[in-house]
Amino acid sequence: MNENTKGIMLVCLGTTLFSSKSILIQWAFNAGASVDQLMLIRMLIALPFYCLAGLWAWKKLEHKPPFHALVLMALPGFACYHIASYLDMWALQFLTAGLERIVLFSYPIMVVLIQAFLGHSIHRLQWLGLAVAYLGVLLFFRQDVQLYQSTSLLAVVAVFLAAVLTAYYVLASQKYGRQFSSDFFTAVAMGVTGLTIPSHFVAMNGFNISGIGLDIWAYGAFLSIVLTVFASFVLNRGIALAGAQKGSVAGMLGPMMTLMMAAWVLNQPFTAMHGVAVAVTVVGVGLVTQSNKLRRWFNSRRVLA
């Protein structure tokens, strides 16, 4: 098995695990958990794993990164695993898991747009894909508004901002994962939130954690160990092997996986329009991320004709 195939398989596994995160969080909300509690438990349990992984990865590095490189690796970690995670969890109180996931799924488009801002060109096919993708998101949003009058536009905006920060993280993961190692980047990016998230909790709630029930700790532990620690290393390793854009394409199964699990576990509706909206979004994201391959394919057809 070559590295590209292995990377895509790892991204698929990581995406499936991350898709389950929305389901577990809403399950925890139904049990009485708050966003601050889940963020804190997730980090308290995950931090020792990342510290050990960071030390192990540090010893394996042939070239030790300078301090400024550590800071540059920590910034996307704070942006994605603190700010974006908080926005995403907060929004899940007001959105279905399917709508949250399909909005967050737009992060591959953000990857391309950020790359364009850095000097890469955007082709007409990519602009078309962007329009198609967000048409799918609007169809999904419209269907959810019809089914749930409480669907919040502000929550959709929060998830959209989380998608932008996730795109920034994906690009940083590709750059520093190849420059040093994906495991070391993950440890640094996640490790910084071991300082910022507890500080956030104390600022909002004080030092008292006695009010967190054992069932909330259990939800947080699973969220931390399986859906954060394991999933983040798997996903970052896959991105490092396959590249940011290929990794994004392999992650296209995420929205449909979330939609099916939400229907099965949370009894959230899965209508024909939901399926159409997801399909339209996936096609749009595919046009954005695979435009170069599609253009080469069309050009080859013209030559053969």
Side-chain angles (χ1 to χ4, degrees):
M1 183 184 300
N2 60 44
E3 287 194 348
N4 185 63
T5 302
K6 187 186 297 183
I8 291 174
M9 291 179 64
L10 289 174
V11 170
C12 288
L13 174 59
T15 300
T16 301
L17 293 173
F18 274 121
S19 299
S20 307
K21 178 171 65 71
S22 305
I23 311 300
L24 185 73
I25 290 171
Q26 290 196 328
W27 220 350
F29 285 156
N30 292 337
S34 70
V35 176
D36 289 343
Q37 288 173 347
L38 288 176
M39 291 280 288
L40 178 68
I41 296 170
R42 179 191 189 191
M43 183 44 56
L44 288 179
I45 296 176
L47 185 59
F49 291 96
Y50 286 111
C51 288
L52 291 173
L55 290 173
W56 176 76
W58 175 268
K59 292 179 179 179
K60 292 180 62 178
L61 292 177
E62 294 183 7
H63 304 288
K64 309 300 184 187
F67 177 76
H68 74 273
L70 295 175
V71 173
L72 291 175
M73 284 187 274
L75 285 175
F78 171 71
C80 181
Y81 287 111
H82 189 152
I83 299 177
S85 291
Y86 191 91
L87 290 172
D88 190 43
M89 282 194 192
W90 175 84
L92 277 166
Q93 298 173 102
F94 311 101
L95 304 176
T96 62
L99 180 55
E100 175 268 346
R101 185 52 44 178
I102 199 171
V103 177
L104 192 63
F105 177 67
S106 65
Y107 81 85
I109 295 176
M110 303 304 162
V111 169
V112 173
L113 290 176
I114 292 173
Q115 288 178 325
F117 179 77
L118 296 175
H120 296 263
S121 61
I122 299 183
H123 308 298
R124 284 178 294 179
L125 197 58
Q126 290 178 306
W127 286 115
L128 173 64
L130 188 150
V132 170
Y134 283 110
L135 172 63
V137 172
L138 287 174
L139 289 173
F140 201 109
F141 177 72
R142 180 175 178 274
Q143 183 69 2
D144 263 23
V145 167
Q146 290 180 346
L147 295 171
Y148 299 98
Q149 298 299 320
S150 59
T151 299
S152 168
L153 180 59
L154 180 60
V156 172
V157 172
V159 180
F160 179 82
L161 292 175
V164 175
L165 295 174
T166 300
Y168 163 51
Y169 178 84
V170 166
L171 288 169
S173 173
Q174 181 182 18
K175 177 180 178 180
Y176 294 108
R178 289 179 173 175
Q179 186 175 349
F180 301 106
S181 79
S182 62
D183 291 339
F184 183 73
F185 170 78
T186 303
V188 172
M190 284 295 295
V192 69
T193 59
L195 299 174
T196 61
I197 288 176
S199 299
H200 181 161
F201 182 88
V202 170
M204 299 296 294
N205 305 279
F207 288 93
N208 184 20
I209 62 173
S210 60
I212 305 177
L214 289 177
D215 55 341
I216 306 304
W217 278 98
Y219 283 118
F222 191 84
L223 175 66
S224 177
I225 296 171
V226 179
L227 304 185
T228 300
V229 176
F230 181 69
S232 64
F233 279 114
V234 167
L235 187 60
N236 279 297
R237 181 60 176 165
I239 291 171
L241 291 175
Q245 287 197 9
K246 288 182 180 178
S248 298
V249 174
M252 285 182 180
L253 58 91
M256 189 58 71
M257 288 292 297
T258 301
L259 200 58
M260 291 188 293
M261 286 187 288
W264 178 45
V265 177
L266 299 174
N267 294 319
Q268 293 179 356
F270 184 0
T271 67
M273 182 54 69
H274 283 129
V276 170
V278 170
V280 170
T281 304
V282 168
V283 169
V285 172
L287 287 173
V288 172
T289 58
Q290 296 295 293
S291 63
N292 289 331
K293 286 186 177 180
L294 289 171
R295 289 169 69 237
R296 286 196 296 268
W297 185 83
F298 282 126
N299 289 334
S300 68
R301 296 296 96 186
R302 290 176 183 174
V303 171
L304 290 175

